[in-house]
Amino acid sequence: MPPSADKRRAILDGALGTFARDGYTRASIDAISAAAGVSTRTIYNHFADKSHLFATVIEESAGRVADAQLDLLDRHLRKVTDLEADLVAFALAWLRSTTGFEDHFLLVRQVNAEARHIPPAAIDAWQENGPRRVQRVLGERLTELAERGLLRVPDPRRAAVHFMMLISAHNPSFRADRVPDSELDDLAAAGVHAFLYGYHPGNPPVG
Amino acid sequence: MPPSADKRRAILDGALGTFARDGYTRASIDAISAAAGVSTRTIYNHFADKSHLFATVIEESAGRVADAQLDLLDRHLRKVTDLEADLVAFALAWLRSTTGFEDHFLLVRQVNAEARHIPPAAIDAWQENGPRRVQRVLGERLTELAERGLLRVPDPRRAAVHFMMLISAHNPSFRADRVPDSELDDLAAAGVHAFLYGYHPGNPPVG
DNA sequence: CAAGTAGTACAACGAGCGTTGTAGTTTCGG
DNA sequence: CCGAAACTACAACGCTCGTTGTACTACTTG
């Protein structure tokens, strides 16, 4: 009888929510086991200790989020016909998708806060398995658009980061405060507009 | 003999560093008192409890950082002659100034992670006393530039946020990894260029 | 059906923490 | 120089937590 994959899944799900909401230190093994519907002992049968559980949770969750985002990239930026409209549609889909992964992005903020207390290897596994993968592919799509003459992209990775920051620019210092649904369209449209034309008065050229 | 202002300052300084590095939960009163060179009892003579101490630390620190940033705004964006060069100089000064406030920005990440466990009033006091003040003034400066015909700024607050995000766009998901000094110039220059001209191939207009 | 193992409930441990009380010491204004 | 009160050192309290051991139950597989 091998350790059950179902229990493992339940533990990871419960741990994600608990770590995300309470942070590493505050999240007790008891609380995680309760959230997972599992005994504390079972957690220790699946994971060596709390820190290994945490590292597994963040890497696994980042992988799933990155998969979803890569899917969005594929669906929106493979065939672009109306540059600005398609970028806005993509930005909106991107923003809306974050609603389904709230615990994950909460957890990312926990990682940012706890960085000093997390082994660099775990940080790197998370970054590589998640954000960096997405940034690379977004950079590739932007490069394709540049090759079609629709953009000017001297540094794909930087352009990808600029794009992501602009479309999610709500409150730079406090990511926890939510964007009201009614402002999502504005946020995406303004972000894409700034990404394309900046704030120089000559732009957009034909405006 | 009123409670000593020196001791209060020492407590706030020690608490800032300890909270910033270890987070609210992990930072023990013993560790804070040791960092401050003060007995634990003195902390409780100055502050009601740990949570009030934390709220005071973040608000106070945010105020000092905001003052420094407002100073930079005054020095760089009052008289602009060469738009792009002056913005790059401002961006660089801004980025360099963060080096002197590392503990503060660490603390901000802790607040982002702990948001659910901090009273909304404390969050608001921090936001108002710090980031929002700076965003408003940056918005005003950008508006002045727009009135001189140097920019097109439909929404000052949004433009301010876009500017700040673009010039500090290093790793969106992991703010803890430092920008090497050698890349600061590139970061500022690329951020300002994107802010002015975006990624549309027609820009910059005169090339 | 029989056996072995995953899972559970529960108790126990040692350690750390926030907070308070107390008694002694330092410091500073009058 | 004296007295009030700010400060310190220290012990104690009640609580929580990570982790482990143990004895019992449930399930799956041969």
Side-chain angles (χ1 to χ4, degrees), chain B residues 1 4 7 39 42:
Chain B
M1 218 170 122
S4 145
K7 295 290 177 185
S39 83
T42 299

Side-chain angles (χ1 to χ4, degrees), chain A residues 99-178:
Chain A
T99 310
F101 299 111
E102 270 172 39
D103 280 349
H104 170 77
F105 292 105
L106 266 171
L107 189 69
V108 167
R109 275 172 238 142
Q110 303 293 349
V111 173
N112 268 274
E114 293 277 337
R116 271 179 174 63
H117 303 280
I118 301 175
I123 299 269
D124 214 65
W126 155 56
Q127 283 278 303
E128 190 53 38
N129 204 36
R132 278 205 285 264
R133 248 170 78 210
V134 177
Q135 280 167 35
R136 258 195 303 273
V137 175
L138 175 53
E140 290 168 12
R141 295 293 153 273
L142 296 177
T143 301
E144 286 172 9
L145 296 174
E147 283 162 357
R148 290 173 53 192
L150 297 173
L151 291 177
R152 190 183 35 78
V153 178
D155 181 341
R157 188 188 144 86
R158 179 111 64 197
V161 171
H162 279 175
F163 183 83
M164 294 195 308
M165 304 230 76
L166 284 173
I167 67 168
S168 59
H170 180 53
N171 188 337
S173 61
F174 189 50
R175 319 267 293 199
D177 70 352
R178 297 271 207 78

Side-chain angles (χ1 to χ4, degrees), chain A residues 57-85:
Chain A
V57 166
I58 178 64
E59 183 174 351
E60 223 256 356
S61 176
R64 284 191 296 172
V65 171
D67 287 345
Q69 294 180 331
L70 291 176
D71 203 59
L72 284 181
L73 277 167
D74 255 27
R75 270 207 301 261
H76 285 85
L77 299 188
R78 283 288 186 190
K79 38 185 200 289
V80 168
T81 56
D82 180 333
L83 179 63
E84 185 161 0

Side-chain angles (χ1 to χ4, degrees), chain B residues 77-149:
Chain B
L77 299 188
R78 283 289 186 189
K79 38 184 199 292
V80 168
T81 56
D82 180 333
L83 179 63
E84 184 162 1
D86 289 348
L87 285 181
V88 169
F90 168 61
L92 253 178
W94 181 279
L95 289 176
R96 284 199 216 285
S97 86
T98 63
T99 310
F101 299 111
E102 270 172 40
D103 280 348
H104 170 77
F105 291 105
L106 266 171
L107 189 68
V108 167
R109 274 172 239 144
Q110 303 293 349
V111 173
N112 268 274
E114 293 276 338
R116 270 177 176 65
H117 304 280
I118 301 175
I123 299 268
D124 213 65
W126 154 57
Q127 283 277 303
E128 190 52 39
N129 204 37
R132 278 204 285 264
R133 248 170 79 210
V134 177
Q135 280 167 34
R136 259 195 302 274
V137 175
L138 176 52
E140 290 168 13
R141 295 293 153 273
L142 295 177
T143 300
E144 286 174 9
L145 296 174
E147 283 162 357
R148 290 173 52 192

